[in-house]
Amino acid sequence: MATVLMCRRIPRLSRAAAFSTTAKRETEHGSSKCEQEEKDNPGTANTGSESTATIQLLNPLDYRVLYNPSAYARGRAGSRQHLDRDNGQALGDTFTSPGAAQAAQAFPAASSRTLPPIRRAPSKSRSNTLLQQTILAALSKEEAEKEKWEVHDSKEDPRMFQKGRPEYRSLSCDSSEPAQPLPAEEGDSILDNVAACEGSPGSITDHFQRLSRLPAERRAGLASEPRFDALCHCAVRAIRLFSTPDLIHVLKSCVLLAVPPAHPLLDACEGEFCRRAWDMELEQLLLVADCWRCLERSVPSYLSILFSFANLHWKDLTLPQFVQLVYIIGEGRRSPADLAQKVESAILKYLDSFTLEELGAICLGLFKSVSGISDHVMRRIADRVSLQMEDMSTYALVNVLKMLRYTRMDHLPLLKELGKVIPERIPTVNIQGIMHITLTYSSLHYFDEGVLAAVATSLPSKVSYCRSKDAAKFLWSFGCLDYEPPNEEEFYSSLIKQIHRKLHEFKKFPEHLLTALLGLAFVKRFPEELIDYALREDFVQKTRGSKYELNKDLFTLGKSVEIECPTYGGNRLPPQLCQEFAEMALSFAEQEIYVRPEIVEATSLLESMLGGPEYVKNHMILPHTRSSDLEVRLATDGHPIPFNFKSPVAARKLKDIGVSLTDDLMAQLIKGRAHGRSPVEVENEGRTRRQERGDEAGMLCSDGALTAGAKSSAESKPGRCPGAPPSLPQPGEVRLALQVSNRNHYCYSSKRLLGLHCLKRRQLRHLGYVVVELPFWEWFPLLRRSRSEKLSYLHYKVFDPALLSRAG
């Protein structure tokens, strides 16, 4: 057995200099052959055996990774990933044939001009040892992978629930091989007799049924047979003469014969079924709808009739009919508004009678049709699933998680049980199932290291099956939860390489590239070639034309690169675009963030404690991070430095934008104003009044403070671009960025910050700010306490001696 070790290079990956490690990390993994068919990406390089991948930093730190993913044994699902239903054609949508994806990428995945030379290999003896270990690991891993065929088939699994009850046989079309196949030789004799069945619906039906029983390889060639076309023309001409059962038999035969969705025979069948639908039984209507699904034909008119019929006969629906209907609703990607309440009632009625597969099918149908569901119903579903999770198939469980994510349901018993059950299943789940599991955790802000570590371990060997969407969601989820797994370099390098392979897909789905790059930025990773591509003018224009709101993501990415990657030399966002995005962010903050009671209260108390509104500023120091800061500046001796010579934003907006002044909010704003003050407060108030008498306000501070105050005043002038980073602190000055946090800044029921807020605090420190937390678990309870307690807490936070020691 010959073994070839190949060396490949991957694009440069920047890690922010201040936060990267200088240690070498080397991981050795088995290498084995991997056959790969990327039908949606012709021309993609084979990703079988790969060896050393060296990552270059913007500030090189002698950082090297050995990347050697194991082979991925292709099962049924692996060879049919292009049939994924999430992006497949919907029954109820107008059919459009997607154009062939361009194989040529916008820029090469690796460029010898930008990549560092391969480092010298280890000594010969060590090299031989490593080679032997690699070969042995490859052999053992290959054998193990052969036994781990993926069980998730994206085309068949959505219909797995139909195998649970015999009643589904009359409601669904079985697209498997016929029970009594005919020999291939009979095909010609059947077609030779087509002329004899002219005008005879029964004979035509018999011909279709017999042809559908031929072997698969013989059926595949019928589409090009003129005699088969003649049979189809006979059926079209006699379409009104068929009985309903015979017409259904013809349609079911078309499924086995793989008749194309746009075939004229199917046009005639659809029109005829729509014409006679109100005279059919519900069982027949559901069966025909299932046939259309198997044929992947869009039939919006037929579905509208079916839903209206079901609405009128709702009380007659049996449990299997209800589940089949919800399945059809999901495959049609549309939710009939008049059925929403009835669907919820039926779920509650049959909840204890559903099989676990049926429960998964219902959740998938609701998720695909974007159907709203009440918290009560979703919690009841989650209650049952959490008790029987071990008996549930992974596919059905993933469908429940999709709906849990859609409804934003934080069902703790289910999530805890999931952490026990799912890690050992991860190796046998297909890549899209793993993506949905991971995305559930990040969407619900729920951190479970065991699950994430299992995902990270399994992913590199399956990464070649990732669509651009899948790779982006993995990067986003891990970045959102600020988690870097033990195999972080293998994990991230494999996903970044897959992003390069799928680059052509981002022309159609630009949102996925921004999602991926933001997820990487959260964990201090900046692949500069991908960033350069994302900030190109033509790509920026694509994002602005997207159906999604991507301006905030562009702004966050562009400004993060500007702050954390000073040596980056690629494309950047135009200044006028940054200003436009910053003004949008500031406008939102003035209406929604600055006026929150917990922030207004903190601002008011700080003004009182420090000496006036010029000593504290409620604003967004970094508008691209989408949350506010209370900025305070201190001199070395601990005296506050005045710098905000505009009227307070929060007070102005409370007056101007019409915020409802409730009794509670008024109490928070005015509580204690007319009562006695501490000596410090009196002194501060006196100092404020003296400052108002003239222009010599800065004389009350040290010389350094005066300079800083003057500079801050200049910074506040209208000519300064809202999106520009603030200037660095002056010598002898400490700039505090107080963070009034809330639960949405942290992982669920924990004190672990989410990725965006980690990024913000990291960038504030990079710009010289000292980040001071007012965590919600401390500040929110204090809002109900006395004024003196709140002032004491803020005094402790602001005048911490450790903060002053950072001056100079």
Side-chain angles (χ1 to χ4, degrees), residues 8 178 244 298 411 433 542 683 729:
R8 294 189 62 183
T244 298
S298 173
H411 194 281
K542 283 184 181 295
E683 180 182 357

Side-chain angles (χ1 to χ4, degrees), residues 593-735:
I593 300 178
Y594 298 158
V595 295
R596 290 175 181 168
E598 68 271 17
I599 295 177
V600 170
E601 180 76 348
T603 304
S604 174
L605 290 168
L606 285 170
E607 288 175 359
S608 177
M609 183 179 76
L610 298 175
E614 61 268 37
Y615 291 93
V616 59
K617 187 173 183 180
N618 178 10
H619 68 136
M620 289 198 292
I621 298 173
L622 302 175
H624 65 276
T625 59
R626 314 172 197 178
S627 57
S628 70
D629 311 87
L630 298 180
E631 184 175 354
V632 172
R633 301 185 183 181
L634 301 176
T636 310
D637 59 2
H639 282 89
I641 299 173
F643 67 99
N644 180 28
F645 297 104
K646 288 186 176 182
S647 58
V649 173
R652 183 177 72 248
K653 288 302 164 185
L654 278 173
K655 179 179 66 177
D656 292 345
I657 69 172
V659 172
S660 299
L661 296 177
T662 63
D663 292 341
D664 290 340
L665 182 56
M666 288 298 296
Q668 291 178 14
L669 293 173
I670 67 175
K671 183 178 179 181
R673 294 282 180 142
H675 298 290
R677 305 287 186 86
S678 68
V680 174
E681 291 179 87
V682 172
E683 180 182 357
N684 286 339
E685 189 172 346
R687 183 169 64 224
T688 301
R689 287 198 298 269
R690 289 195 299 273
Q691 289 175 346
E692 293 172 348
R693 292 188 193 128
D695 297 332
E696 68 280 10
M699 296 299 294
L700 294 171
C701 305
S702 64
D703 293 340
L706 175 61
T707 304
K711 181 171 180 61
S712 298
S713 178
E715 289 175 358
S716 301
K717 291 181 180 178
R720 182 170 175 266
C721 174
S727 61
L728 294 175
Q730 300 296 310
E733 176 189 65
V734 178
R735 292 189 183 181

Side-chain angles (χ1 to χ4, degrees), residues 8-13 43-45 54 103-112 114-115 496-503 527 529-530:
R8 294 189 62 183
R9 299 173 175 181
I10 67 171
R12 288 192 288 176
L13 180 71
T44 300
T54 305
Q105 297 185 355
F107 61 84
S111 169
S112 59
T114 59
L115 290 176
I496 291 171
K497 289 173 71 176
Q498 185 66 5
I499 291 290
H500 276 277
R501 295 187 195 105
K502 296 294 184 180
L503 199 63
E529 288 185 357
L530 291 174

Side-chain angles (χ1 to χ4, degrees), residues 8 168 208 214 302 423-424 470 503 516 545 721 777 806:
R8 294 189 62 183
Y168 287 112
F208 271 101
L214 293 173
Y302 180 83
E424 63 183 22
D470 301 322
L503 199 63
C721 174
W777 58 85
R806 304 185 190 188

Side-chain angles (χ1 to χ4, degrees), residues 98-99 503-511 542:
L503 199 63
H504 63 281
E505 294 183 11
F506 297 123
K507 294 178 181 178
K508 188 176 181 181
F509 306 106
E511 64 274 8
K542 283 184 181 295

